[in-house]
Amino acid sequence: MKKRVVIIGGGLGGLFTGAILSKEGLQVTVLEKNTTIGGGLQSFKRFGETFDTGMHVIGGMQAGGNIRKICHYLGILDQVKLMDVDDECTDRLYFAEDHKYYTIAKGKRGFVDSLAASFPEERENLERYVEAVFDLTAHVDLFNLRPSEGTMSLFAGSSDFLMSASDFIAKFTDNQKLRSVLAYMNPLYGGRAHQTPAYIHAIISTLYINGASRFVDGSHHFADLLAQVITSHGGNVIVNEEVEWIEVNNRVVDYVQTKKGERYQADYYISDIHPCTMLQLMDEKAMPKSYRDRLNSIPNSHSAFSLYIKLKENSFPYINYSEYYMTRYDDVWNFSNPEKPWPLGFLFMTPPNHHQGQYATKVLVTAPMPFEMVKKWEHTQVGHRGDDYEKWKQEKTEALLSQIEDIHPGFRDCISDINTSSPLTIRDYYHVKEGSICGFSKDCNHIALSQVPVVTKVSNLFLTGQNNNMHGFCGVPLTAINTCEAILGLNSVINKINECDRG
């Protein structure tokens, strides 16, 4: 008989893990608390438009990319709807402090040439920096889909792995402005100065230097593809089925029970929800106190405040790259700092439709925000937070719109409707502690604390998702491989992915 697996949470991690295990012959049931699957891949409809809940700029889907290979193995590659961003401008940066723009181009040469245009005396340093970034990622077996010896072995290749990302960048240039420019992507990984490990920075940078893409017509299509892999192999993906209890006896899960009173039993259980949320669903004695204390002590990355803007027809151009607005060079690492003024910056993008023409129909704006800014409403529920919360959201919306006007004068006149979300929205819809958008923070000074294994102190309970190893559209699928191999055997999935790619 097939081994049975119950996965708690239908986010990107749960769906990738479920798809792989289903393909390998296990009977998978995914239980998702919301009415739609996908987690951060969810889309929602407002004002007649479909909006993604996250700003999905996708790395790893270029020719030879690791996520592309995984999609090929799962049999969904030809159905993924993507649009590549512009080669000559994958990202555009703006620093309000000196009203300066910087353009980032695709590829190692493009990256160096585009920044050397603003920092001509730094060309040699930029070349050394890019080579060092790629060298760091070359040592990570999982990122390169190489068979491993059973440990991540991240730190064997170079002492730079144990260095902070900010210190790593500083090795290559004394130019303070260039250091800040090279750190521009840190909002994507919850970067903190002198804490975030260099390998996190290197992996994210490598992905986007190699080329980035966007989902066409919404990211929910990708979640649906993963669900189809599960169901086509006899599995189930059940929505509106929130797990409220995990019954554990003698370090073994016996069953999970949902709010509807349904019980699900399996040979293996996998949690795709935040580990601290998972702990709240079981008896305190289910896990050793040391394990619970360790998980609860790990700081979370920052959250975000987002605008979902419907545009008036033919009023604003479609922009085939992402825009990063930064206030001051010195604050590029301070997005998680609640003592700093807000907003310190934001990401701005126009998502594409399948019939994309000259004009955009919508805009997504995401500004990193520490959870402390909404702490006074932390005990409220969606739709019942009070008038002062609505007034606060309007004030934050106006602050962001004022900054957008710096780079797009007259933007307000293009707006038809606006919907907003805050760290509380993220916390409540995704069951994510403090509304963290990048999971647990990684700290090179306490690297052991930053590594949360996919195996737990309960023999048949495993973890997957952004709180293990890496977050994001690349990191979560790679962690899913770790989780699956904890059940199927070391390198079993990696080898099959590579066999499929060679075939």
Side-chain angles (χ1 to χ4, degrees):
M1 294 179 62
K2 287 185 175 181
K3 293 285 188 179
R4 294 172 299 167
V5 181
V6 166
I7 299 177
I8 305 168
L12 181 62
L15 293 174
F16 255 111
T17 304
I20 294 170
L21 292 176
S22 293
K23 184 175 175 62
E24 295 306 318
L26 281 73
Q27 182 75 34
V28 173
T29 298
V30 177
L31 304 175
E32 167 56 43
K33 84 178 189 76
N34 291 318
T35 55
T36 55
I37 57 171
L41 291 178
Q42 287 183 53
S43 301
F44 65 93
K45 288 192 175 181
R46 290 288 189 282
F47 325 122
E49 281 285 346
T50 298
F51 292 92
D52 290 346
T53 53
M55 297 189 64
H56 297 298
V57 183
I58 308 306
M61 288 295 288
Q62 303 292 314
N66 48 17
I67 308 306
R68 182 183 181 90
K69 291 179 181 179
I70 299 172
C71 290
H72 184 205
Y73 153 78
L74 290 174
I76 62 174
L77 180 60
D78 294 341
Q79 303 170 69
V80 181
K81 296 187 291 184
L82 296 175
M83 177 185 291
D84 291 342
V85 300
D86 294 339
D87 288 354
E88 66 275 12
C89 179
T90 60
D91 292 317
R92 188 176 77 152
L93 287 57
Y94 174 78
F95 282 84
E97 181 178 343
D98 58 0
H99 310 291
K100 177 71 175 177
Y101 288 94
Y102 302 93
T103 296
I104 309 294
K106 177 182 175 180
K108 290 182 179 180
R109 175 60 63 84
F111 184 91
V112 171
D113 287 349
S114 56
L115 288 182
S118 298
F119 303 96
E121 71 286 354
E122 297 285 340
R123 174 177 288 274
E124 185 176 337
N125 290 335
L126 285 164
E127 290 172 345
R128 291 191 305 112
Y129 163 79
V130 169
E131 290 303 320
V133 162
F134 276 76
D135 183 63
L136 278 187
T137 57
H139 287 96
V140 183
D141 288 338
L142 184 59
F143 180 80
N144 293 282
L145 297 177
R146 286 194 304 260
S148 70
E149 296 181 359
T151 63
M152 290 187 69
S153 302
L154 282 176
F155 318 115
S158 167
S159 59
D160 288 347
F161 276 105
L162 296 174
M163 181 180 293
S164 72
S166 55
D167 291 339
F168 173 78
I169 291 170
K171 281 179 56 177
F172 300 95
T173 178
D174 294 326
N175 189 302
Q176 295 294 331
K177 286 188 175 181
L178 180 56
R179 288 181 180 181
S180 295
V181 169
L182 292 176
Y184 82 93
M185 279 191 288
N186 86 73
L188 298 180
Y189 53 81
R192 300 171 189 251
H194 310 300
Q195 292 183 9
T196 302
Y199 76 88
I200 300 286
H201 169 80
I203 286 173
I204 300 298
S205 298
T206 297
L207 282 170
Y208 291 106
I209 291 174
N210 281 334
S213 309
R214 293 172 169 180
F215 286 117
V216 176
D217 290 334
S219 54
H220 64 284
H221 292 298
F222 190 81
D224 292 341
L225 289 176
L226 293 173
Q228 288 170 23
V229 175
I230 295 170
T231 57
S232 68
H233 288 88
N236 295 288
V237 178
I238 307 174
V239 299
N240 198 27
E241 192 73 295
E242 182 176 354
V243 173
E244 69 172 0
W245 185 253
I246 304 171
E247 180 66 21
V248 180
N249 293 293
N250 300 317
R251 299 285 191 263
V252 177
V253 178
D254 288 337
Y255 62 85
V256 299
Q257 182 167 313
T258 67
K259 285 192 172 181
K260 294 180 178 179
E262 298 290 335
R263 288 187 178 183
Y264 294 85
Q265 291 182 300
D267 300 284
Y268 306 105
Y269 300 82
I270 298 170
S271 173
D272 183 38
I273 61 178
H274 194 289
C276 295
T277 303
M278 178 195 71
L279 292 177
Q280 296 171 10
L281 303 181
M282 59 182 67
D283 190 275
E284 199 173 69
K285 297 177 181 178
M287 295 280 191
K289 184 177 184 301
S290 58
Y291 183 79
R292 288 186 282 108
D293 290 347
R294 176 173 179 259
L295 291 182
N296 285 315
S297 68
I298 303 174
N300 290 280
S301 58
H302 58 237
S303 190
F305 187 93
S306 296
L307 306 181
Y308 307 93
I309 300 172
K310 179 181 179 180
L311 298 167
K312 295 176 182 176
E313 188 174 358
N314 299 336
S315 65
F316 190 82
Y318 172 74
I319 302 172
N320 199 34
Y321 52 83
S322 298
E323 296 186 312
Y324 291 73
Y325 181 105
M326 310 286 190
T327 49
R328 299 176 65 251
Y329 290 92
D330 287 347
D331 280 334
V332 75
W333 291 101
N334 282 322
F335 289 106
S336 297
N337 189 341
E339 297 180 2
K340 287 287 184 175
W342 189 94
L344 289 177
F346 59 83
L347 285 75
F348 180 103
M349 69 177 290
T350 53
N353 300 312
H354 69 276
H355 50 64
Q356 188 58 59
Q358 177 183 354
Y359 293 98
T361 62
K362 55 197 168 189
V363 168
L364 298 183
V365 182
T366 294
M369 175 180 277
F371 187 76
E372 285 82 353
M373 291 189 67
V374 295
K375 202 165 182 62
K376 65 180 291 187
W377 300 287
E378 68 175 327
H379 299 299
T380 62
Q381 301 298 318
V382 176
H384 303 280
R385 306 202 196 278
D387 291 341
D388 57 337
Y389 174 73
E390 295 302 321
K391 180 181 178 182
W392 174 86
K393 283 203 301 180
Q394 186 59 40
E395 290 172 352
K396 301 311 173 190
T397 298
E398 290 299 318
L400 279 175
L401 292 177
S402 295
Q403 290 188 344
I404 294 171
E405 289 279 341
D406 286 350
I407 54 176
H408 296 295
F411 180 76
R412 289 176 187 269
D413 295 333
C414 303
I415 297 172
S416 171
D417 298 280
I418 299 179
N419 192 57
T420 63
S421 70
S422 80
L424 293 171
T425 316
I426 298 169
R427 181 200 67 177
D428 292 345
Y429 275 103
Y430 300 149
H431 266 194
V432 176
K433 185 178 180 181
E434 297 178 350
S436 168
I437 61 173
C438 303
F440 283 140
S441 287
K442 307 295 190 294
D443 189 343
C444 64
N445 305 298
H446 305 282
I447 200 66
L449 188 66
S450 300
Q451 302 301 309
V452 179
V454 297
V455 297
T456 72
K457 301 302 181 179
V458 172
S459 63
N460 61 343
L461 176 62
F462 303 86
L463 305 179
T464 197
Q466 68 176 358
N467 293 285
N468 309 91
N469 302 334
M470 286 280 292
H471 73 284
F473 187 77
C474 176
V476 169
L478 296 178
T479 297
I481 293 175
N482 274 159
T483 303
C484 293
E485 291 190 343
I487 295 172
L488 301 172
L490 181 64
N491 297 324
S492 57
V493 177
I494 291 284
N495 289 335
K496 290 193 176 183
I497 292 171
N498 289 323
E499 287 170 10
C500 182
D501 185 56
R502 288 191 296 267

